[in-house]
Amino acid sequence: MEKGGKKWIIRGNDKLKVGTENTIRGLLEVMHSNLNVNDERPIIPLGHGDPSPFTCFRTTHIVDDALNTAIQSAKFNSYPPPAGIPTARRSIAEHLSRDLPYKLSTEDVFLTSGCRQAIEIITTVLACPGGNILIPKPGYPHYDACAVFHNLEVRHFDLLPEKAWEVDVDAVEALADENTVAIVIINPGNPCGNVYTYEHLKKVAETAKRLGIPVIADEVYSHLTFGSNPFVPMGVFGSIVPIFTLGSISKRWIVPGLRLGWLVITDPSGFLKDTEIVSLIKQCLNMTTSPACIIQGALPQILENTKEDFFENIISLLRQAVDICYEEIKEIACITLLPKPGGSMFLMVKLNTVLLEDISDDMDFCFKLAKEESVIVLPGAVLGLENWLRITFSIDLASLKDGLQRMKMFCRRHAKQQ
Ligand SMILES: *Cc1c(COP(=O)(O)O)cnc(C)c1O
C-alpha cells in the first residue's frame, strides 16, 4: 500500500451470489469453456432454448415490417409510460381475450422487458416479510433466484413424470400455509414439455382457491403445442382464483432479443379489488424501466398481422423434432423419455447411471459428453432433478439428429460390459 493510500473496501450485495452459480447460463458457460478445441465437428447446442440463430426458425417478415413502420413513423422516440403505451397494452388484452370467456381490458396489461422481467416484478410485488412461494420442481430457475433475492422462502412441489408431469396437488396442499403468497404454474412447460388438460388446470385453480393464493401462470410457450392436448390458458379459471398471466413474444415469435413481455391480471371476479396488489405493481413499474418504445410501437402490428401459417410451420418443425428425439432416444439404453412432450421446446429424460461404466451422475455425464462429443445438454441437477437431463429440441433437424447420434455413441462407449 502506498504511503497515505487507503485500502479500498467496497462491499457488494451478497444476495446476488445466490442465484448466479446455479443458473442455466452460468453452467452452460462453464461447459462451453470446457469443450475440446481439437474436435472439428460443429458444437451441437441442446442445452439452452434460443432457436433464433437457425434459419428454419427465422421469425416472420411481419416482425421486420412492424419494426420498420414503427421506426419510420417517428412516433416512438419518447419515454413510454411505466405500464407501457396504451395501444400496445390494448393489443395484448385483445390478443389474450380471444382464448378467454371474458374480455381483458387495457388496464389489466403491464408491459415488461420479456417474460423474465414479468417474473421479477411479480415476485418483487408479492415478497412480503416472512412469505413463501410454491414453485414447481423441476422448474425455471429464475423463479427461485428472484424469490431468494427478495427473501421469499422457496417451497418446491413435485411435477410427476408418471402422470405427464402433472402437479402433485396433495403436495401443494401440504406445503402451503398462511404465509404462502402464490403458486407458480408453467404451461406449456419448461423443462418438461408438459401441456396440462383443462381438468388438471381446474384442479390446480380450485386448490389455489382453497388455499387463498393467486396463481402465477407462466405462459411464455402459449400455443406452442404439438401433441394431443391443446393449450388452455390458466386465465380461463380467473373467476375461481386471481391469475397473474406472464408471457412474451420471445418464444412464439422466436424473437427473444426484442425483450417484449407482459404481466396480465386476470381477475374477472375482482378478488384483487380491495388489495394493494395493482397499485404495488404500478409502483414497481415506476421503479424499473420499460421495454424500448419502438418495440412497444411495433407490437400491435406483430400481434394482429402474423399469419397462422407462420405458427403452423414452427409447430410442425417442433413436432418433427420431438419425433426425432423419440426415435433416437429409444435406441439409447441408459436414458428414457417418458412421457413424450406435447409442447414448449424442451424435454426431460431419465439417466440410468447404473448402466454406465465411469459416469457418476448427470453433471458428470454432461461434462464428459461435451468434452468427447461437443454436444451440450443440461444436467437436471440445476433444475432440481438429479440424474435427469434436459434436452432442447428447437434446433435445425439435421443438427438435432447428429447431436442425438453422438450422444448414442457416447453412451455405448461408456456402457458397462455385461
Ligand atoms: C424463456 C422463458 C422465460 C423468459 O422469457 P423472455 O421473454 O425471454 O424473458 C420465462 N419463463 C420460462 C418458463 C421460459 O422458458
Side-chain angles (χ1 to χ4, degrees):
M1 194 95 343
E2 271 177 41
K3 212 171 136 201
K6 191 171 176 304
K7 191 171 170 1
W8 289 97
I9 303 174
I10 302 178
R11 300 205 42 213
N13 185 344
D14 280 345
K15 289 242 110 149
L16 287 169
K17 293 180 194 159
V18 184
T20 47
E21 276 184 8
N22 298 328
T23 55
I24 298 177
R25 285 182 198 177
L27 188 77
L28 290 177
E29 261 169 45
V30 181
M31 284 171 65
H32 271 273
S33 64
N34 200 40
L35 287 166
N36 175 9
V37 288
N38 297 321
D39 188 348
E40 283 168 3
R41 295 172 298 176
I43 300 164
I44 310 285
L46 307 180
H48 78 310
D50 181 357
S52 61
F54 304 101
T55 346
C56 58
F57 283 104
R58 170 107 172 66
T59 192
T60 157
H61 68 90
I62 297 291
V63 171
D64 308 347
D65 295 347
L67 287 169
N68 282 331
T69 311
I71 292 167
Q72 276 156 21
S73 73
K75 278 191 207 153
F76 305 107
N77 296 333
S78 324
Y79 283 114
I85 61 173
T87 49
R89 296 171 76 192
R90 190 179 329 122
S91 71
I92 291 169
E94 281 167 8
H95 178 73
L96 297 180
S97 296
R98 284 194 269 171
D99 300 323
L100 297 174
Y102 48 82
K103 289 232 162 312
L104 295 164
S105 81
T106 305
E107 295 295 304
D108 297 324
V109 177
F110 304 95
L111 297 195
T112 57
S113 183
C115 186
R116 278 173 82 92
Q117 198 195 19
I119 297 171
E120 287 150 24
I121 287 168
I122 197 63
T123 31
T124 308
V125 164
L126 295 175
C128 59
N132 65 73
I133 184 164
L134 309 182
I135 295 180
K137 187 178 98 178
Y140 184 66
H142 200 51
Y143 285 97
D144 301 68
C146 290
V148 169
F149 190 70
H150 291 292
N151 295 318
L152 268 180
E153 181 199 337
V154 173
R155 297 189 180 173
H156 287 121
F157 58 87
D158 286 331
L159 303 183
L160 305 169
E162 66 283 4
K163 289 179 125 187
W165 297 107
E166 283 189 353
V167 172
D168 183 349
V169 181
D170 297 334
V172 168
E173 300 248 15
L175 282 174
D177 59 23
E178 69 280 7
N179 293 319
T180 303
V181 300
I183 176 171
V184 176
I185 299 293
I186 307 174
N187 181 56
N190 172 10
C192 303
N194 54 275
V195 180
Y196 294 144
T197 60
Y198 180 95
E199 289 71 26
H200 184 61
L201 290 170
K202 185 161 183 223
K203 202 164 154 191
V204 170
E206 282 165 350
T207 305
K209 179 194 168 87
R210 247 191 324 278
L211 299 169
I213 54 173
V215 177
I216 298 174
D218 183 324
E219 296 178 353
V220 79
Y221 297 100
S222 67
H223 293 284
L224 285 176
T225 60
F226 33 81
S228 47
N229 294 350
F231 166 67
V232 178
M234 195 76 202
V236 164
F237 305 104
S239 48
I240 299 180
V241 63
I243 316 281
F244 301 109
T245 301
L246 317 186
S248 78
I249 58 172
S250 305
K251 310 289 164 69
R252 197 173 175 211
W253 276 266
I254 323 211
V255 286
L258 293 190
R259 311 307 307 132
L260 195 121
W262 49 82
L263 160 59
V264 174
I265 295 180
T266 320
D267 182 31
S269 304
F271 299 120
L272 298 175
K273 214 170 57 211
D274 299 325
T275 74
E276 310 177 284
I277 294 300
V278 175
S279 89
L280 291 178
I281 290 174
K282 290 180 184 162
Q283 297 272 78
C284 191
L285 288 165
N286 275 333
M287 284 180 59
T288 68
T289 179
S290 323
C293 203
I294 289 283
I295 315 291
Q296 298 191 28
L299 189 69
Q301 278 194 51
I302 296 175
L303 297 187
E304 282 154 31
N305 297 349
T306 304
K307 301 279 181 301
E308 241 357 89
D309 62 352
F310 167 70
F311 299 129
E312 279 164 13
N313 178 45
I314 298 296
I315 283 170
S316 146
L317 277 171
L318 293 173
R319 185 182 290 122
Q320 292 172 59
V322 166
D323 288 342
I324 289 174
C325 292
Y326 199 73
E327 289 308 311
E328 295 297 330
I329 290 168
K330 240 180 15 196
E331 294 180 19
I332 309 178
C334 64
I335 63 178
T336 352
L337 169 61
L338 72 127
K340 202 170 170 180
S344 90
M345 301 173 172
F346 304 93
L347 57 84
M348 292 289 280
V349 291
K350 194 165 168 48
L351 176 66
N352 187 355
T353 50
V354 172
L355 298 176
L356 295 168
E357 191 67 78
D358 51 353
I359 307 257
S360 56
D361 58 15
D362 54 332
M363 210 55 109
D364 196 24
F365 181 97
C366 291
F367 272 89
K368 286 183 174 145
L369 177 69
K371 187 109 207 161
E372 294 174 26
E373 300 289 345
S374 301
V375 174
I376 310 273
V377 297
L378 193 76
V382 271
L383 306 167
L385 268 199
E386 267 165 46
N387 289 338
W388 286 75
L389 309 168
R390 188 188 79 170
I391 297 176
T392 306
F393 50 81
S394 58
I395 79 169
D396 75 272
L397 301 178
S399 304
L400 178 64
K401 200 159 181 168
D402 184 5
L404 293 168
Q405 285 173 349
R406 289 190 212 171
M407 192 147 109
K408 184 158 58 184
M409 290 196 302
F410 172 86
C411 290
R412 289 201 178 142
R413 209 164 50 240
H414 289 270
K416 226 171 236 171
Q417 301 306 320
Q418 298 298 331

